Amino acid sequence: MGKVNGEFAILPKFQGDILLNFEKNVDVQHSYYFLAGTEITPQFVAPKVGISLFGIIDFTGGYAFQLGNNLLNDSVMKGLNLNFTINIPLVVFSKSKKNK
């Protein structure tokens, strides 16, 4: 959601990422991962690469390629993009149960 050419716009987005770690003998809770992924909207597709810290904070960069002649409020949606993402794990919202 935001303003594009002075008009409010909502752009639905589908996103998928893969976390990669090339070190041997490390567990799932390793401190950093390389990240590769893509974002797809009705206006563009944007492959990206970056780094993820603890699987929670992501820093990525990529390039958006316009799909056809689709415009958003008369604006072309293509070019370099930089992203900062904070992921909230669903386990934060679950109740902790301890066996006694």
Side-chain angles (χ1 to χ4, degrees):
M1 293 190 302
K3 278 191 170 185
V4 177
N5 284 343
E7 296 181 36
F8 181 74
I10 297 176
L11 184 63
K13 176 176 79 168
F14 179 77
Q15 173 179 320
D17 297 328
I18 297 174
L19 298 177
L20 306 165
N21 187 324
F22 301 105
E23 293 185 32
K24 295 182 179 181
N25 300 322
V26 295
D27 64 4
V28 176
Q29 298 178 358
H30 191 66
S31 62
Y32 69 92
Y33 300 90
F34 295 102
L35 183 147
T38 190
E39 301 174 358
I40 300 172
T41 73
Q43 280 73 27
F44 65 86
V45 59
K48 61 184 179 177
V49 294
I51 190 164
S52 179
L53 302 175
F54 303 105
I56 296 176
I57 298 173
D58 301 345
F59 299 98
T60 60
Y63 192 88
F65 299 94
Q66 185 176 351
L67 293 175
N69 292 325
N70 295 331
L71 301 176
L72 184 63
N73 292 346
D74 297 324
S75 181
V76 175
M77 303 294 290
K78 68 176 183 179
L80 181 67
N81 61 58
L82 301 173
N83 300 296
F84 170 75
T85 306
I86 298 175
N87 302 299
I88 302 173
L90 295 178
V91 296
V92 170
F93 300 109
S94 67
K95 292 182 180 179
S96 175
K97 294 183 180 180
K98 293 183 180 179
N99 295 331
K100 293 185 179 182

